Amino acid sequence: MGDYSIEEKMVKCAVDALLDKMAHDVVSLKVGNVTVITDYFILATANSGSQLDAMIDGAEEAMKNDGYTLYRREGRSNSGWVLLDYGEVVIHLFTKEMREFYNLDGSWRDAPKQSY
């Protein structure tokens, strides 16, 4: 992948996996300059609980296959929100209703954003 940083490689791996599972409104937010929590957030939306499960499985499998460690998983697909914490990259997977409720897109609007 050329001269990409480890964080950028992680983002690409996760985004590709989510797009393979037909995720909607996939964005990455480069939050490292505005928080010490992580370098990137990835946000993606599912149309249903079963699609959310597929997105979780796809992201976890792709990240593991590329050698990235899952440090923490929070939430459940039946709640409409799941967080996958890979340290430098945190993946937030939502149903449409939960994405609107949590509004991370708006909360982090000052962070550089890339849509996929």
Side-chain angles (χ1 to χ4, degrees):
M1 257 186 65
D3 294 326
Y4 294 98
S5 69
I6 185 71
E7 294 86 1
E8 291 166 331
K9 290 177 183 177
M10 293 173 77
V11 168
K12 180 170 181 2
C13 176
V15 166
D16 288 349
L18 294 170
L19 293 174
D20 283 348
K21 299 300 180 185
M22 309 305 268
H24 297 278
D25 300 321
V26 180
V27 300
S28 63
L29 302 172
K30 190 173 183 179
V31 297
N33 292 334
V34 292
T35 185
V36 296
I37 297 170
T38 189
D39 294 322
Y40 285 89
F41 282 158
I42 298 172
L43 313 178
T45 303
N47 284 329
S48 65
S50 58
Q51 184 185 19
L52 186 56
D53 285 333
M55 289 164 50
I56 295 163
D57 293 344
E60 286 183 340
E61 181 179 346
M63 295 294 278
K64 182 179 179 180
N65 288 345
D66 277 11
Y68 304 121
T69 301
L70 176 63
Y71 295 108
R72 186 173 48 137
R73 179 178 175 174
E74 291 186 16
R76 303 181 100 132
S77 59
N78 63 2
S79 73
W81 167 78
V82 172
L83 175 145
L84 305 174
D85 182 354
Y86 288 91
E88 296 90 348
V89 174
V90 175
I91 305 168
H92 295 271
L93 306 174
F94 303 96
T95 60
K96 185 176 184 333
E97 297 78 21
M98 288 294 101
R99 182 145 177 192
E100 290 171 1
F101 176 79
Y102 285 107
N103 190 28
L104 293 183
D105 302 80
S107 298
W108 297 97
R109 67 183 165 272
D110 293 337
K113 178 179 179 178
Q114 174 70 47
S115 298
Y116 303 91

